[in-house]
Structure formats: C-alpha cells, structure tokens
Amino acid sequence: MRGTIYVVSGPSGAGKTSILKEVLKKIPNLTFSVSYTTRPKRPGEIDGEDYFFVSKEKFVELVNSGEFLEWAEVHGNLYGTSKSFVESKIEKGINIILDIDVQGALSVMKKLPDAVTIFICPPSFKDLKKRLDNRGTEKEKDRERRLKDAKWELSHISDFQYLVVNRTLNESVKQLEAVIIAEQLRVDRIKDHMGLQDFFKESDNDVCDN
Amino acid sequence: MRGTIYVVSGPSGAGKTSILKEVLKKIPNLTFSVSYTTRPKRPGEIDGEDYFFVSKEKFVELVNSGEFLEWAEVHGNLYGTSKSFVESKIEKGINIILDIDVQGALSVMKKLPDAVTIFICPPSFKDLKKRLDNRGTEKEKDRERRLKDAKWELSHISDFQYLVVNRTLNESVKQLEAVIIAEQLRVDRIKDHMGLQDFFKESDNDVCDN
C-alpha cells in the first residue's frame, strides 16, 4: 500500500514547524519531506534535516533537471519540494508530511489530488504579528512582507481540506495527529490502494472469506 | 453552528458499545443518541440511558407517529432511532453519536448525507465468534443468526467512510476519537455551516478583517 502525502501549510509565524516536530515524534511510519531552499540557515537548523540549503545556482540547476514537485519564491527566497524524495517514501508505504508555503501547497494539490491538505492559522492577526516579533530573526522589511503575504494566504483557507487554528501547541498537535490517524482509516483510501479484500488478508483477517 | 451526526455501525459483537463508552468520556460536546428497542434489557443496562425499552405495541405507535429516523428488525427485535432526540441535540450545536446496526445505518445515510459514518469490525471472524461466546447472553440460535447477519453486514463496509478494525480497545478508542476530532476540523463542514468569516469572528479572530 502506497503512503499518504500530507500537505501542511499556512502563513509564516503560524507555528507550523513546532507542531510538525511534535507530531513526527508521536506518529509511527510518518516522515518529514526535506525541501530545498536558498534562504540562509537559521541558528539551530541542520542541513539535510530541516532543509537542503543550496545556492541559487544549484537551485536553478535542480529546477531545470525537473527535480521539483513544486518550487516557488517566498519572501525573496527560493523553496522547492523534492519529487524524488517524496516518491521514494510513498513507494515504500511511508506516509510523508510536506511543510510548504500556501503558494506551493496550491500547486501540489493540482498535481497530487490525493494529498491530504491542512491549513494551520494563528488565532488572530495580532497573534501572528507577535509571533514574528518574538522570532527575532526578522528584519522590519521582511516582517512587513510576511504580514502582507499572510493576508493573501489566509484568503486561500477554503482550498484546503482541514483547518487547525493554533491556539495552544498541545491542542494543535492533538488536532493534526487526529487528521493523520483519521485519514489512514478512510475506506476510500484503503479501497483505492488495494481493495478491502486484500486489506483483510493483510491484517490476518478471515472475515470476508467465511 | 449545528452539531455533527456520527453514525457508528458494524456487526454485533465487534465491540462497538465498549469503544463508544470510552470515547464519550473523552470528547466534550458529544452525546449518545438513545434509541428505542423492544429487546429485553440485559443485566446492567439502564432505561433511558442505554435504550428506551418499550413494548412492541408502543414501538408500533411511535412508528406510526413518524418518531423514527430509521427503524429496523434485527435478530427478531425492533430498534428505532428517535428523530426528535437527534434533532434537539444538533440544533443546539451538540455533536451526536448513533450506535446502530448496519441496516439502520444504511437508511440513515440516505436521509442524512452529511452524517459521518464509521464501520467497526472485529479483527477476524474467529474473533467475532469468540466475543459472542464470551458475552454469554446469547442462545445458540441467536448466536448463529448473528454470525449469518455479520457476513451480510461486512459486505457493506465500503458504504461507510471510515473503518476501525477493533484489535485492542485502547487503539480503537484512539482511532474513533481521531475521526471525531478530524471531522470537526474539515473546512467544508465549517464553511457549509456558517462561513469561514463567521468562524473567525466567533473564535475572537481578526485575521480576515485585517
């Protein structure tokens, strides 16, 4: 059975990354899709784990070789989702979670209509501003751009399947976890991939044969 | 915002009732739909809590007055889902969970296409037989009838949206809980009921207004 692709998106500063980190610890058979980026590494980030950090030249090379499922310029930096990375995981039956900006998520949805899409948004615009201030890594110009982009991004909530309003980390982790577990139980998904008959056989089940 | 109706079904002896009891303890704003039945009360069951236990005459009266959302004969007894009970809850914004046989669930689905439907099945047919034996309340004839019905019921899994294979109580409770939480986060559901704009207002959110 092929793995499921979960696309998590939302404005910068909504708290996506913290939620994802906790969820990845809790759910077995779920892995994080490592993207390519040209943006500078932030303190604490690890190359090949948080992102593959590459130069603009290298990024353009990867674009030309068709390596990206989607790529986009966000806040002046390039971000790209590795097609080969994602495909190798789902072919092995591993579920994969993509953390991408709204623009990228919208193009992935068109290419991968089976993907499960989750929008994470802050409880208020005021809260979003505060989170960007607390991050402390933003220049004033970058901060203003992020807030402007957030307005456009929030207008696309209804293109997503699920909405998590990030009030507290614990609650949001529980909600994202619930979406991931529930989607694994969808009869449509099980049926599409291998048929219920096979599902029962695989789970050592003789219900359908009796 | 109107409540959501969750329909939980599956063969007798799959463990539905035990799972439901645990889930109801864990999830706020979720209540159990109390059905009418003509079957005899089992030890420990409470009238008005597990079922409304009524005579066959009273049941027929309720059928004629249009009180049932669905009703059916199962294993020689009559079971009916109270329309007024369910409607009074969802109008107040309370989510409600219906524990009904597969035949009843199929008719509720036609009447209430927005209902979330979950099939709970035992891990194997052998296991189902064992559970009915352990219940100890079954006459041999009843037991045989339940097994025969189970085969028909299991052939309808693909009419449901979610499948929980009841291997352990803990795992199944977690899975049913996940389905209930995830469905509350569906953008379609939020949008259909009140619009995202209102949703944000209600959650003290000024995201959309800025």
Side-chain angles (χ1 to χ4, degrees):
Chain A
M1 181 162 161
R2 277 166 71 86
T4 305
I5 300 172
Y6 296 92
V7 175
V8 172
S9 194
S12 302
K16 287 193 301 291
T17 311
S18 312
I19 297 169
L20 283 184
K21 282 198 173 156
E22 289 306 309
V23 167
L24 282 160
K25 281 184 211 159
K26 289 186 162 212
I27 299 194
N29 195 33
L30 179 69
T31 195
F32 178 66
S33 162
V34 180
S35 299
Y36 286 87
T37 186
T38 63
R39 85 147 163 75
K41 201 156 72 170
R42 290 193 194 128
E45 286 184 332
I46 297 162
D47 186 40
E49 204 167 291
D50 295 289
Y51 285 99
F52 296 113
F53 294 97
V54 292
S55 66
K56 198 166 173 176
E57 291 69 33
K58 177 68 185 169
F59 195 96
V60 172
E61 229 179 274
L62 291 167
V63 171
N64 291 335
S65 68
E67 166 58 14
F68 293 132
L69 197 55
E70 61 82 31
W71 69 273
E73 194 184 321
V74 189
H75 314 304
N77 298 306
L78 299 167
Y79 291 81
T81 303
S82 167
K83 197 193 284 181
S84 57
F85 188 95
V86 171
E87 279 181 359
S88 73
K89 298 296 177 189
I90 61 167
E91 269 166 25
K92 285 179 200 144
I94 299 167
N95 302 313
I96 190 160
I97 198 156
L98 277 59
D99 175 1
I100 37 180
D101 68 283
V102 176
Q103 193 183 338
L106 295 173
S107 39
V108 166
M109 278 179 213
K110 280 179 207 146
K111 285 187 191 158
L112 305 170
D114 285 346
V116 177
T117 58
I118 304 119
F119 195 98
I120 297 183
C121 91
S124 72
F125 209 78
K126 212 179 284 172
D127 188 87
L128 183 66
K129 285 177 188 163
K130 211 172 70 186
R131 286 181 204 223
L132 290 178
D133 288 344
N134 289 346
R135 186 179 275 180
T137 56
E138 306 291 317
K139 290 180 198 145
E140 182 56 27
K141 204 183 69 184
D142 290 345
R143 191 175 159 280
E144 285 309 311
R145 184 162 47 182
R146 280 182 201 274
L147 289 175
K148 194 179 152 235
D149 288 350
K151 286 175 198 173
W152 176 83
E153 289 163 346
L154 288 161
S155 72
H156 281 280
I157 291 178
S158 57
D159 293 321
F160 288 75
Q161 292 164 348
Y162 295 95
L163 174 65
V164 171
V165 179
N166 187 17
R167 293 190 184 85
T168 69
L169 181 62
N170 269 357
E171 195 194 349
S172 300
V173 167
K174 191 169 179 179
Q175 291 184 345
L176 182 56
E177 204 190 347
V179 170
I180 293 168
I181 294 172
E183 283 288 336
Q184 294 297 310
L185 305 173
R186 288 188 78 90
V187 172
D188 272 353
R189 190 172 302 282
I190 301 164
K191 209 170 51 174
D192 283 357
H193 282 105
M194 52 196 297
L196 281 175
Q197 194 79 15
D198 290 338
F199 170 73
F200 280 118
K201 274 182 193 148
E202 212 178 62
S203 53
D204 196 23
N205 190 311
D206 58 359
V207 164
C208 293
D209 307 330
N210 273 270
Chain B
M1 181 162 159
R2 277 166 70 86
T4 305
I5 301 173
Y6 296 92
V7 175
V8 172
S9 193
S12 302
K16 287 193 302 293
T17 311
S18 312
I19 297 168
L20 282 184
K21 282 197 172 157
E22 289 306 310
V23 167
L24 282 160
K25 281 184 213 160
K26 290 186 161 210
I27 299 194
N29 195 32
L30 178 69
T31 195
F32 179 66
S33 161
V34 181
S35 299
Y36 285 87
T37 186
T38 63
R39 84 147 163 74
K41 198 157 71 169
R42 289 191 195 131
E45 285 183 333
I46 297 162
D47 186 41
E49 203 166 293
D50 296 290
Y51 285 98
F52 296 113
F53 295 96
V54 293
S55 67
K56 196 164 177 180
E57 291 67 34
K58 177 68 184 167
F59 195 97
V60 172
E61 227 179 275
L62 291 166
V63 171
N64 291 335
S65 67
E67 167 57 15
F68 293 131
L69 197 53
E70 62 80 32
W71 68 271
E73 193 183 324
V74 189
H75 315 303
N77 297 307
L78 298 167
Y79 292 83
T81 303
S82 166
K83 199 194 284 181
S84 56
F85 189 95
V86 171
E87 279 179 359
S88 72
K89 298 296 176 187
I90 61 168
E91 269 166 24
K92 284 178 200 145
I94 298 167
N95 301 315
I96 191 160
I97 199 156
L98 277 59
D99 174 2
I100 37 181
D101 69 283
V102 176
Q103 194 183 337
L106 294 174
S107 40
V108 166
M109 278 180 215
K110 279 178 207 145
K111 286 186 191 159
L112 306 169
D114 285 346
V116 177
T117 57
I118 303 119
F119 195 98
I120 296 183
C121 91
S124 71
F125 209 79
K126 213 179 284 173
D127 188 86
L128 183 67
K129 284 178 189 164
K130 212 171 70 186
R131 286 180 204 221
L132 289 178
D133 287 345
N134 289 347
R135 186 179 276 179
T137 57
E138 306 292 316
K139 290 180 197 145
E140 181 59 24
K141 204 183 68 183
D142 290 343
R143 191 176 158 280
E144 285 310 311
R145 185 165 44 183
R146 280 184 200 273
L147 289 175
K148 194 178 151 234
D149 287 350
K151 286 175 197 172
W152 176 83
E153 289 163 346
L154 288 160
S155 72
H156 281 280
I157 290 178
S158 57
D159 293 320
F160 288 74
Q161 291 164 348
Y162 295 96
L163 173 65
V164 171
V165 178
N166 187 18
R167 294 190 183 86
T168 68
L169 180 62
N170 270 355
E171 194 195 349
S172 300
V173 167
K174 192 171 179 179
Q175 291 183 346
L176 182 56
E177 205 190 347
V179 169
I180 293 166
I181 295 171
E183 284 287 336
Q184 295 296 310
L185 306 173
R186 289 189 78 90
V187 172
D188 273 353
R189 190 172 302 282
I190 301 165
K191 208 171 54 175
D192 283 357
H193 281 104
M194 51 196 297
L196 281 174
Q197 194 79 14
D198 290 337
F199 169 73
F200 280 119
K201 274 183 195 149
E202 213 178 62
S203 50
D204 196 22
N205 190 311
D206 58 359
V207 164
C208 293
D209 306 329
N210 274 269

